Amino acid sequence: DVKVTQSSRYLVKRTGEKVFLECVQDMDHENMFWYRQDPGLGLRLIYFSYDVKMKEKGDIPEGYSVSREKKERFSLILESASTNQTSMYLCASSLGGALRYEQYFGPGTRLTVT
Amino acid sequence: ELKVEQNPLFLSMQEGKNYTIYCNYSTTSDRLYWYRQDPGKSLESLFVLLSNGAVKQEGRLMASLDTKARLSTLHITAAVHDLSATYFCAESSGADGLTFGKGTHLIIQP
């Protein structure tokens, strides 16, 4: 079974703090994704990566950056957290070769910025 | 712009009833996914539909795909409370992975 884990289930940070969200997958997947989920807005893609050290912007990259130094790990960074970044963050991974394959999701991190 | 529209977005139904959730998409994708999300939890894959006319069933849920109509349906038969969740469809023709609908919040009452 594919396993995608995220470093924290719940996180509370203060405005202006630098925040790191970590995601690790154990199935040797090439593609990894970060989404945020907000009520009424569904899932919105922040960034994705199709290879180590490669990254692509999704629909809402502003205020975020990512890092992928190893194949199994994809980090989402909030350089200076703001209250409008309070959300549920979901990481996902999928097989390489194309971006159209089924995505497997981690348990999510509920981030509150105060 | 890629669009995936689910209908309805909110559904309250009684146990034992049948209902269908609709997923319309705007591209020529031949691959469609259905996911389930329980409150406070992540997304769990339900069905992968890979071609026109594909039909898959798991328990009281059945999903189908009509690529010519750009429509997928998720049919619930004789609903039970345990099926209460939010259901998402997603299609795969985009350049950056899957495009998700906004989800259908389903409540099944005794």
Side-chain angles (χ1 to χ4, degrees):
Chain A
D1 276 353
V2 176
K3 195 142 191 188
V4 181
T5 57
Q6 294 181 230
S7 52
S8 305
R9 294 300 304 276
Y10 300 93
L11 209 51
V12 179
K13 295 292 181 180
R14 293 197 181 276
T15 300
E17 278 192 82
K18 191 169 186 175
V19 181
F20 292 86
L21 303 182
E22 304 283 339
C23 175
V24 177
Q25 50 92 7
D26 68 357
M27 284 302 290
D28 205 33
H29 283 174
E30 282 80 7
N31 302 325
M32 297 187 76
F33 306 83
W34 275 107
Y35 295 89
R36 65 177 282 176
Q37 184 179 21
D38 301 287
L41 297 177
L43 275 75
R44 293 182 291 168
L45 182 64
I46 305 172
Y47 268 96
F48 66 99
S49 168
Y50 53 87
D51 202 352
V52 175
K53 297 194 186 293
M54 306 302 290
K55 60 185 179 184
E56 295 286 342
K57 293 180 180 179
D59 300 319
I60 52 163
E62 295 79 19
Y64 303 94
S65 63
V66 290
S67 172
R68 191 156 181 212
E69 296 296 319
K70 293 185 178 182
K71 189 175 185 180
E72 67 271 18
R73 189 179 297 268
F74 192 35
S75 302
L76 180 69
I77 304 156
L78 287 66
E79 295 290 341
S80 178
S82 63
T83 55
N84 62 14
Q85 292 178 310
T86 292
S87 187
M88 169 73 102
Y89 289 88
L90 295 169
C91 174
S93 71
S94 71
L95 280 171
L99 288 164
R100 59 204 299 260
Y101 296 124
E102 182 180 8
Q103 292 182 15
Y104 298 85
F105 284 83
T109 296
R110 186 164 292 282
L111 173 67
T112 302
V113 183
T114 61
Chain B
E1 180 190 341
L2 298 176
K3 282 189 179 179
V4 178
E5 293 184 351
Q6 288 183 235
N7 180 31
L9 296 181
F10 182 83
L11 176 59
S12 179
M13 57 191 291
Q14 287 188 315
E15 280 191 326
K17 300 288 187 183
N18 304 332
Y19 210 83
T20 300
I21 299 170
Y22 297 89
C23 175
N24 290 93
Y25 55 95
S26 62
T27 67
T28 56
S29 177
D30 61 353
R31 188 179 284 243
L32 197 292
Y33 302 90
W34 283 97
Y35 288 86
R36 168 181 172 147
Q37 185 179 36
D38 291 305
K41 303 269 180 83
S42 191
L43 275 72
E44 172 192 354
S45 178
L46 285 176
F47 298 109
V48 180
L49 302 169
L50 297 176
S51 61
N52 185 41
V55 176
K56 290 204 173 174
Q57 183 161 4
E58 179 77 30
R60 300 174 188 273
L61 298 177
M62 183 173 72
S64 65
L65 179 63
D66 181 345
T67 57
K68 292 177 183 173
R70 300 181 186 176
L71 171 68
S72 180
T73 60
L74 181 66
H75 186 73
I76 303 152
T77 302
V80 292
H81 178 70
D82 286 352
L83 291 178
S84 296
T86 299
Y87 294 87
F88 291 90
C89 64
E91 65 84 40
S92 66
S93 62
D96 54 4
L98 304 186
T99 301
F100 286 83
K102 291 193 173 177
T104 296
H105 184 52
L106 174 64
I107 296 176
I108 299 168
Q109 301 180 10

